[in-house]
Amino acid sequence: MFQKIANVLSIISFVMVASMSGGTYFAYKYVTSEQFKSRVMNEILDNVSGMMPKVLDQNLPKVTGQSMPIIK
């Protein structure tokens, strides 16, 4: 009886390890792919471009002073 339980647990353990290894492999392949890189880059650029006009409007002065004198 103990032998059957040990065999079942061994099979379950093997299936779990195999599925975790396969999942890790495919996750690594996806994360290192160009598709993932372009998706993340597009999302970041969309977020940053949405914030930029607001930040620039708040921090740019309306009037500037004279330019720096050039010493001859």
Side-chain angles (χ1 to χ4, degrees), residues 23-42:
T24 302
Y25 172 76
F26 287 114
Y28 175 76
K29 284 301 217 181
Y30 178 69
V31 168
T32 58
S33 69
E34 286 297 319
Q35 178 186 7
F36 180 75
K37 181 180 176 183
S38 65
R39 180 180 289 175
V40 169
M41 196 65 128
N42 287 337

Side-chain angles (χ1 to χ4, degrees), residues 4-64:
K4 288 182 182 181
I5 294 173
N7 287 341
V8 168
L9 290 176
S10 174
I11 291 170
I12 291 172
S13 175
F14 173 76
V15 169
M16 288 175 60
V17 168
S19 65
M20 288 174 61
S21 298
T24 302
Y25 172 76
F26 287 114
Y28 175 76
K29 284 301 217 181
Y30 178 69
V31 168
T32 58
S33 69
E34 286 297 319
Q35 178 186 7
F36 180 75
K37 181 180 176 183
S38 65
R39 180 180 289 175
V40 169
M41 196 65 128
N42 287 337
E43 188 171 332
I44 290 172
L45 289 176
D46 288 342
N47 289 339
V48 169
S49 65
M51 290 186 304
M52 286 306 290
K54 297 173 193 170
V55 171
L56 290 177
D57 290 340
Q58 293 171 356
N59 292 332
L60 288 179
K62 302 289 185 212
V63 178
T64 60

